[in-house]
Amino acid sequence: MRILIVDDEPGMHESYRQCFAARPGDDGDLSAMAAELFGDEDVPPDATPPAPRFDLVHATQGLEAVDIVARAGENRFAVAFIDVRMPPGIDGRETAKRIRALDPDVNIVIVTGFSDFSPLEIAKVAGPADKIFYIAKPFEVEEVVQTASALSHRWQIDRELAATRADLADKVALLEEQTLELAANEMKAIHLANHDSLTDAPNRLAFLRSLQGWVRADEGFAMAMIDLDRFKLVNDTFGHLAGDELIRMVCTLLQEHVPERGMVARLGGDEFAILFPTPGEDAAVMACERLIHACATSFKVFGHSVQGSASIGLVIADGSEPRDPIDVMRRADLALNEAKKAGRGIVRVFDESMDESIRFRRRIEGGLSEAIANNELRLVYQPIVARDGAEVVGFEALLRWVSPEYGTISPAMFIPIAEESNLIHELGDWVLGEALEMLARWPGQYVSVNFSPRQFRRQNFVGHVVERVDRAGIAPSRLQIEITETAIFDDAERAADTLYRLRQMGFRIALDDFGTGYSSLYNIRKFALDCLKIDKSFIDGMGRERESAAIVHSIIHLGRALGLEVVAEGVETQAQVQALRVAGCSHLQGYFYARPMEAEDSVVIATQRYLEAVDEDEGTAPVAGNGTQG
């Protein structure tokens, strides 16, 4: 450690040399001195490092000392012992002031036998106060050495602390820089995920998100689907680069002419979509006609003249009722197709005549609401038989609707329509009531009833089913609740709780169409089940596709390992029966044994308990499909 001695008396310099030449060996004295200097009474004697070796530099005048400090460079001083009176030059107060200005870290010890300046005066010009110390003349050897040792140690610690702080500051600055870079990259990624790479306009994802907000709002709005006419000709004639340039130019035009608060998005290819508020149909049509007029111009694309033209399909939403965003886009697309059929370069507003399925769905929905009251619905029952002996252990209840207007309507058609409205609850209650009544006529078999996802998510579903079963006086074990993965996948935690409560009350739980959903393994592990029903499509493919056979075998082995019944649906041939028996399938269902039958016939079958397989060579088995929708 470098020590600066500043005193005008040669004898004092010699005293300092003798002090530091005769270094104390008692580290306990040094520890005590450090504790006294810094007020740290808890420092144990062995915690203070050995006294350092000192390199003394002497100056007889203040100006000389200041010059030495100025030229020290990296060899800075840890401690400066400064005499107060040093005539004829500057005094100790001024010397300390100038040295402090050159080196803010040096510890200054004022050594004097006089009181020319108070400590406060010196601290004001050469502070801070925690780096100014005082020793009175005459001093003791231990006093000087221990002060130098303690202050040198502190000086070293201060330097290390300053270096650590500087390093930490650098790391913090680097971290802040990386944080800013990460935020910029995140913003860029979000932008890329929501914007078209060619035009930088919002993409389909962003458009759907915006459309979802519009359909939930009360304000009326219009959605326009825009398609460039004869765009393929541009690509084929001038190349895809020219086509891309035309897309960019048209996008810019649309953004310039879109109504106020409107949004232009590129959905893909030469197709754009626009959302904008509108007071009504007439205003929306006028706005779209202006867009068509703007596009009907000649574009200069890479030196080529390209005549622009566009067609628009328009949907008006008055905000009186919520709509499905996908359905709004579908309607706009239907209107766009009509505009193109009508000659291009025009606007077509969607109306119900453009969508035969909508009109048909409404007719079905209206007819279905009256079907129960008019006795147009009935249940048929298909036996579920045990693998060995063909014992009838249960029946699946299948719904049929014969409409006076439309004839026999497939459940695959009317069940989804009922599912999208509250009719599914009324329909489901009727099915459950009819099925429970049949149980009283069978000697002991269970009935398997399909519940749709919307029924399963019904408030107090468990209480509703329990109430109906109690009222019918039926044991819960005779009712099997069939659900699909769709019913439980949307809210797995709630579904798991519902199924657990049903199982605790004694109901049977079957997972229908197992194998068709990607969450199958997860579901059977998480949910309380009694039975897996293998989808008919896999049974059909067993004899033709190795994959189907492998899936069937895997499901059967999985069910057996978990202690679950496995029902194969759609069994129609002897070969399928043999293969399923060999694989270990516990139960079979299908036209090989019996087609869905009327209630009276089911009573006969239930009473005799055993079935003989239908001879497939006689051709008596019907060719229609079977299963949940029968």
Side-chain angles (χ1 to χ4, degrees), residues 452-502:
S452 75
R454 188 162 182 173
Q455 287 178 274
F456 186 72
R457 291 191 290 266
R458 186 180 189 176
Q459 284 289 352
N460 197 28
F461 172 74
V462 175
H464 178 72
V465 174
V466 170
E467 189 271 334
R468 296 296 299 272
V469 170
D470 285 345
R471 190 193 307 169
I474 299 298
S477 60
R478 296 189 67 193
L479 174 62
Q480 177 167 280
I481 296 171
E482 279 196 33
I483 55 173
T484 62
E485 292 181 25
T486 305
I488 59 180
F489 187 68
D490 290 343
D491 189 347
E493 293 302 323
R494 179 183 177 279
D497 177 67
T498 300
L499 295 180
Y500 175 78
R501 290 164 58 197
L502 289 169

Side-chain angles (χ1 to χ4, degrees), residues 534 551-561 566 579-580 583-586:
I534 306 176
I551 291 173
V552 170
H553 279 257
S554 298
I555 294 173
I556 292 172
H557 292 163
L558 191 60
R560 292 180 64 187
V566 179
L580 290 166
C585 185
S586 61

